[in-house]
């Protein structure tokens, strides 16, 4: 594949490194180095102005050894094939790490959804669904939300798929609204799973919430919900960052107020008593926990040497570059990798899919108990592999994933 694939090549390199710690068939690794299928789509949407615009997108199916392809759909102006390829491989690894019966896939459209009206967003989603319909399905490939996509978009996708196939199959997509066969707890699941991982990490380090300071980058679904959970748990949230700026919070801020302000004004600029700081200053803050919950490649060789935290909890996918990973490991900073820390989202997607297939409904306390168990047990297994091999948590998680992929590979007829 082309050498411009920076993120995807990094992900493959990590897989290859992990393969050095276990016995796996060379053919399996050869298979995982490439996606099973890459579909590029181009489609038109009639905009409110009457003009017809052409959009480009992809659906990448990386691997389905352990089950149907699974992964979100991203709407972002900077979406590119390298990113979608890497994200699809990470989904294969993530589902294997937490042991849910899915493979990995990912989709995306190059679009700024903030500049679209609701009607345009719906038309865009339906048009994309029509062009990917032949390759998705409840037992084939199951999309879900990702950056700038949500339950409403998943509901449109399901509805369009029903029209195309003439059969209502809610399990074709997860992350739907609770009114339309979604799980009530799916929206907060990524943050919830991250919280379980953070609690377990803190047990290892002997940290307690009310003495623990936190900085959170990103205020989308995962960032906003982890902020709420941490506040409820009495953590000290010192700083936030969104796509407009970074901010030091006043000591007695009211979170409900702050969220309402952010939703109305699109950023926290101008919110009473917040102090604007640069991105550089944000990554130099002396806090206990740093939570990147935005996009890829935020922690790099340029800022990693100045990061002064004990724990990094990756709620975003791919926020840390391999060079930064090395620096952080040498400096003793414990990184909870994306493929573990944000796996709560896809795990609850699995619960939703299971309910849809079995025609049952989700039961929040039972689901949260199951999520806690999966996240905590996975953390313990990954931690054990890390300690045994003296490697970082990311590589240890890849090792666990490869073990599970290898089991599936050997079971093939
Ligand atoms: N987009 C989320 C992720 O990156 C969730 C995917 C899903 O639920 O399928 O893990």
């Amino acid at each position: 594949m082309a050498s411009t694939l920076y993120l995807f090549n990094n992900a493959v390199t990590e897989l290859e490194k992990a393969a050095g710690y276990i016995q796996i068939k060379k053919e399996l690794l050869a298979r995982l180095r490439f996606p099973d299928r890459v579909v590029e789509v181009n489609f038109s949407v009639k905009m409110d102005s009457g003009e017809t615009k052409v959009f480009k997108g992809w659906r990448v199916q990386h691997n389905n050894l352990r089950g149907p392809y699974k992964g979100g759909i991203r709407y972002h102006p900077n979406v590119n094939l390298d990113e979608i390829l890497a994200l699809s491989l990470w989904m294969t690894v993530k589902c294997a790490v937490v042991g849910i019966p899915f493979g990995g896939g990912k989709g995306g459209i190059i679009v700024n959804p903030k500049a679209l009206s609701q009607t345009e967003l719906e038309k865009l989603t339906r048009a994309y669904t029509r062009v990917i319909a032949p390759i998705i399905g409840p037992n084939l490939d199951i999309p879900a939300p990702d950056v700038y996509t949500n339950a409403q978009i998943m509901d449109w996708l399901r509805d369009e798929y029903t029209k195309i196939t003439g059969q209502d199959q809610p399990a074709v997509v997860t992350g739907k609204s609770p009114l339309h066969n979604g799980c009530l707890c799916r929206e907060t699941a990524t943050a919830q799973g991250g919280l379980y991982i953070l609690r377990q990490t803190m047990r290892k380090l002997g940290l307690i919430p009310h003495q623990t300071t936190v900085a959170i980058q990103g205020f989308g679904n995962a960032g906003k919900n982890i902020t709420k959970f941490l506040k409820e748990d009495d953590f000290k949230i010192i700083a936030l960052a969104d796509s407009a700026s970074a901010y030091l919070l006043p000591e007695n801020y009211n979170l409900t107020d702050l969220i309402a302000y952010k939703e109305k004004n699109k950023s926290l600029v101008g919110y009473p008593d917040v102090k604007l700081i640069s991105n550089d200053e944000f990554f130099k803050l002396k806090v206990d926990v740093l939570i990147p919950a935005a996009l890829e490649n935020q922690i790099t060789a340029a800022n990693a040497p100045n990061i002064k935290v004990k724990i990094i909890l990756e709620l975003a996918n791919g926020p840390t570059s391999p060079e930064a990973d090395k620096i952080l490991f040498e400096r003793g900073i414990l990184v909870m990798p994306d493929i573990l820390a944000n796996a709560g989202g896809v795990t609850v997607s699995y619960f939703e899919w299971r309910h849809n297939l079995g025609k049952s409904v989700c039961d929040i306390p039972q689901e949260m108990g199951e999520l806690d168990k999966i996240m905590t047990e996975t953390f313990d297994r990954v931690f054990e592999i890390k300690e045994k091999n003296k490697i970082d948590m990311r590589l240890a998680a890849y090792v666990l994933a490869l073990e599970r992929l290898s089991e599936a590979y050997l079971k093939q007829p």
Side-chain angles (χ1 to χ4, degrees):
M1 237 167 277
S3 59
T4 47
L5 298 180
Y6 171 78
L7 291 172
F8 183 69
N9 287 344
N10 286 344
V12 171
T13 305
E14 197 70 19
L15 260 183
E16 285 167 348
K17 264 198 328 202
Y21 291 85
I22 45 166
Q23 292 278 327
I24 60 159
K25 293 256 190 229
K26 274 215 306 280
E27 304 91 82
L28 169 61
L29 196 59
R31 188 59 207 274
L32 295 170
R33 275 194 195 107
F34 298 96
D36 287 352
R37 186 192 264 161
V38 179
V39 175
E40 182 188 296
V41 294
N42 295 282
F43 55 94
S44 336
V45 177
K46 192 158 186 207
M47 310 305 278
D48 293 348
S49 64
E51 179 202 359
T52 297
K53 268 197 183 163
V54 178
F55 291 89
K56 182 185 285 299
W58 293 272
R59 183 73 189 170
V60 173
Q61 298 175 332
H62 175 259
N63 186 275
N64 66 351
L65 268 173
R66 301 188 63 264
Y69 304 103
K70 183 82 190 85
I73 298 171
R74 175 172 294 203
Y75 289 179
H76 195 279
N78 300 334
V79 161
N80 58 75
L81 182 57
D82 174 33
E83 180 186 41
I84 301 295
L85 281 164
L87 286 160
S88 71
L89 185 152
W90 290 329
M91 287 308 300
T92 300
V93 176
K94 194 186 297 185
C95 294
V97 170
V98 286
I100 54 175
F102 288 137
K106 202 82 177 194
I109 304 177
I110 306 174
V111 61
N112 175 10
K114 291 181 184 171
L116 299 190
S117 69
Q118 276 296 98
T119 321
E120 289 169 338
L121 200 58
E122 178 174 348
K123 285 188 187 163
L124 176 96
T125 303
R126 289 184 183 276
Y128 177 70
T129 306
R130 286 194 291 275
V131 287
I132 63 164
I135 56 152
I136 61 170
N139 292 303
L140 175 57
D141 184 353
I142 308 137
D146 195 73
V147 172
Y148 293 155
T149 53
N150 55 26
Q152 169 67 82
I153 291 174
M154 301 307 121
D155 288 347
W156 286 327
L157 193 154
R158 178 258 189 103
D159 186 59
E160 192 62 28
Y161 189 75
T162 304
K163 285 185 182 152
I164 296 163
T165 57
Q167 239 188 325
D168 185 18
Q169 301 177 78
V172 67
V173 58
T174 60
K176 300 176 293 293
S177 65
L179 253 181
H180 295 100
N181 307 89
C183 269
L184 249 182
C185 45
R186 174 62 186 85
E187 183 137 350
T188 50
T190 306
Q192 187 72 57
L195 182 65
Y196 294 141
I197 294 297
L198 180 59
R199 284 190 186 148
Q200 203 61 357
T201 316
M202 288 176 54
R203 278 183 204 121
K204 294 278 179 207
L205 299 187
L207 295 175
I208 39 177
H210 72 274
Q211 293 172 353
T212 302
T213 53
V214 189
I216 302 163
Q217 186 209 29
F219 214 62
N221 171 302
K224 184 166 69 189
N225 286 310
I226 195 79
T227 308
K228 285 190 198 163
F229 288 149
L230 294 181
K231 179 95 172 140
E232 276 163 24
D233 267 12
D234 224 13
F235 280 81
K236 289 189 170 12
I237 304 169
I238 303 289
L240 295 178
D242 59 21
S243 54
S245 180
Y247 319 88
L248 284 183
L249 298 183
E251 212 163 295
N252 41 14
Y253 66 93
N254 175 316
L255 187 60
T256 316
D257 230 45
L258 188 138
I259 292 176
Y261 185 93
K262 158 87 186 162
E263 265 154 25
K264 183 159 173 254
N265 301 284
K266 304 278 174 250
S267 83
L268 287 178
V269 176
Y271 186 75
D273 299 327
V274 297
K275 184 169 177 266
L276 265 61
I277 55 171
S278 68
N279 207 37
D280 238 33
E281 288 169 309
F282 178 83
F283 282 108
K284 281 186 192 154
L285 290 173
K286 194 169 173 346
V287 287
D288 298 307
V289 184
L290 171 65
I291 307 184
L295 291 169
E296 300 90 32
N297 241 4
Q298 302 298 303
I299 303 175
T300 62
N303 57 14
N306 301 318
I307 289 181
K308 301 180 192 70
V309 307
K310 298 188 175 101
I311 301 168
I312 296 179
L313 182 75
E314 294 186 342
L315 288 191
N317 285 312
T320 310
S321 76
E323 300 78 20
D325 246 345
K326 193 162 172 278
I327 298 169
L328 297 169
F329 182 65
E330 280 160 7
R331 296 186 52 228
I333 295 171
L334 206 44
V335 179
M336 290 301 128
D338 45 10
I339 46 171
L340 171 67
N342 72 30
V346 71
T347 304
V348 175
S349 272
Y350 164 57
F351 300 160
E352 181 179 329
W353 177 78
R354 213 172 49 181
H355 283 307
N356 293 162
L357 290 180
K359 302 201 186 326
S360 53
V361 289
C362 94
D363 165 340
I364 300 181
Q366 191 254 322
E367 235 101 288
M368 287 302 97
E370 192 174 349
L371 179 64
D372 189 357
K373 187 165 180 294
I374 292 176
M375 298 306 286
T376 306
E377 285 179 3
T378 307
F379 174 96
D380 290 346
R381 285 214 46 196
V382 175
F383 199 86
E384 228 176 82
I385 298 174
K386 157 195 138 61
E387 294 284 279
K388 184 173 150 226
N389 297 292
K390 300 190 172 38
I391 54 181
D392 63 22
M393 287 290 280
R394 187 179 326 274
L395 191 52
Y398 270 84
V399 172
L400 176 59
L402 270 186
E403 273 173 20
R404 293 193 165 139
L405 282 156
S406 173
E407 263 168 43
Y409 187 74
L410 295 175
K411 269 199 210 136
Q412 283 184 125

